[in-house]
Amino acid sequence: MFKEPSTASILLALLISLAHAAEICAAVDPVAAAGEEPILELYMHDILGGSNPTARPITGLLGNIYSGQVPFARPIGFVPPQGVAIPNANGAIPSVNGINGIPLGTGLAGTTFAGTPNGQNLNGNPATQLGPDGLGLGFGTITVIDDILTSTPELGSQSVGKAQGVYVASSGDGSTQMMAFTAMFEGGEYGDSLNFYGIYKIGSTVSRLSVTGGTGKFKNARGFAEVRSLIPSGQHFIDGAETLLRFTVHLSY
């Protein structure tokens, strides 16, 4: 006669099935299985000037100098002889990067274009250039970006998408940039993207931006990104000025 399985046998089989299902879940999404926040790491390459720029200042004095609209301003890439001053509209004379001619204070690198350690002067104070009104020459400069996102720090590594948006020089001393952009990821059936907003502090060990939503698999995403400035490896030669940022994104849904 057929013997019905005991309750203990049924419970044992159920436990084995649950354990097997948990293993599959952990293999597919180990972060979710561990009950931790999903973490995404991205590297953003912001390049000013050169033959393949990904960012362009479009407003403000430095933006006008960058595009050659200020009277007597030299084109980007032209470095004047040592000691030759370049006049501009408000009487202030910005310093430039001696390699590519980009005005000091332009972009996410800020005063590091001055060629002094940590962008400081001989007294150890931030090397901020002030206009006649007492504000930094870069204050209010809006820069539009179409920056490359990669999975590792090298510019020539696998691209995962683009960061498209703007950053604005939002402090009078040139030490912060307000960033608002969307990380648009390549591939994916639903057009995956993440939105970021917040203040990036130039020269700070870490800055934090808010995650304000997204699309596709990042729909209703919340959280924040820790942003750190890194030194480009130099393995991939470019003739522009590159700022490399690492984004460690902590997400919840």
Side-chain angles (χ1 to χ4, degrees), residues 44 107-110 167-168 170-171 174-179 181 197-209 226-230 243-247:
M44 188 176 91
L108 297 173
Y167 55 79
V168 183
S170 54
S171 62
S175 63
T176 62
Q177 297 274 358
M178 185 279 291
M179 304 187 73
F181 67 92
Y197 176 81
I199 298 296
Y200 171 71
K201 299 178 181 179
I202 297 173
S204 176
T205 303
V206 61
S207 301
R208 291 176 174 83
L209 305 182
E226 297 176 332
V227 185
R228 294 174 172 85
S229 177
L230 304 178
T243 301
L244 173 62
L245 300 182
R246 181 177 71 188
F247 284 75

Side-chain angles (χ1 to χ4, degrees), residues 37-40 211 222-226 228 248-252:
E37 292 182 339
I39 295 179
L40 179 66
V211 174
R222 303 183 305 276
F224 67 95
E226 297 176 332
R228 294 174 172 85
T248 305
V249 187
H250 302 261
L251 297 174
S252 60

Side-chain angles (χ1 to χ4, degrees), residues 110-129:
T111 55
T112 57
F113 283 154
T116 56
N118 299 320
Q120 297 180 345
N121 57 27
L122 296 178
N123 297 322
N125 298 319
T128 301
Q129 291 187 293

Side-chain angles (χ1 to χ4, degrees), residues 108-202:
L108 297 173
T111 55
T112 57
F113 283 154
T116 56
N118 299 320
Q120 297 180 345
N121 57 27
L122 296 178
N123 297 322
N125 298 319
T128 301
Q129 291 187 293
L130 302 180
D133 58 2
L135 296 173
L137 295 183
F139 180 59
T141 300
I142 299 175
T143 302
V144 180
I145 64 172
D146 186 22
D147 290 345
I148 300 170
L149 297 174
T150 59
S151 56
T152 62
E154 291 74 26
L155 180 57
S157 61
Q158 180 181 1
S159 173
V160 297
K162 292 286 192 74
Q164 297 182 343
V166 299
Y167 55 79
V168 183
S170 54
S171 62
D173 63 359
S175 63
T176 62
Q177 297 274 358
M178 185 279 291
M179 304 187 73
F181 67 92
T182 297
M184 304 174 63
F185 298 100
E186 296 178 350
E189 183 179 356
Y190 303 105
D192 301 331
S193 69
L194 274 174
N195 301 323
F196 296 89
Y197 176 81
I199 298 296
Y200 171 71
K201 299 178 181 179
I202 297 173

Side-chain angles (χ1 to χ4, degrees), residues 41-132:
E41 191 164 88
L42 302 169
Y43 294 86
M44 188 176 91
H45 304 264
D46 187 72
I47 304 172
L48 287 168
S51 56
N52 293 290
T54 65
R56 176 189 295 167
I58 59 171
T59 65
L61 174 61
L62 297 185
N64 290 336
I65 294 174
Y66 182 93
S67 60
Q69 296 177 21
V70 172
F72 308 110
R74 79 284 176 274
I76 291 301
F78 170 74
V79 181
Q82 184 69 23
V84 176
I86 303 172
N88 60 61
N90 74 348
I93 303 175
S95 298
V96 297
N97 184 324
I99 299 176
N100 49 43
I102 295 176
L104 168 69
T106 309
L108 297 173
T111 55
T112 57
F113 283 154
T116 56
N118 299 320
Q120 297 180 345
N121 57 27
L122 296 178
N123 297 322
N125 298 319
T128 301
Q129 291 187 293
L130 302 180

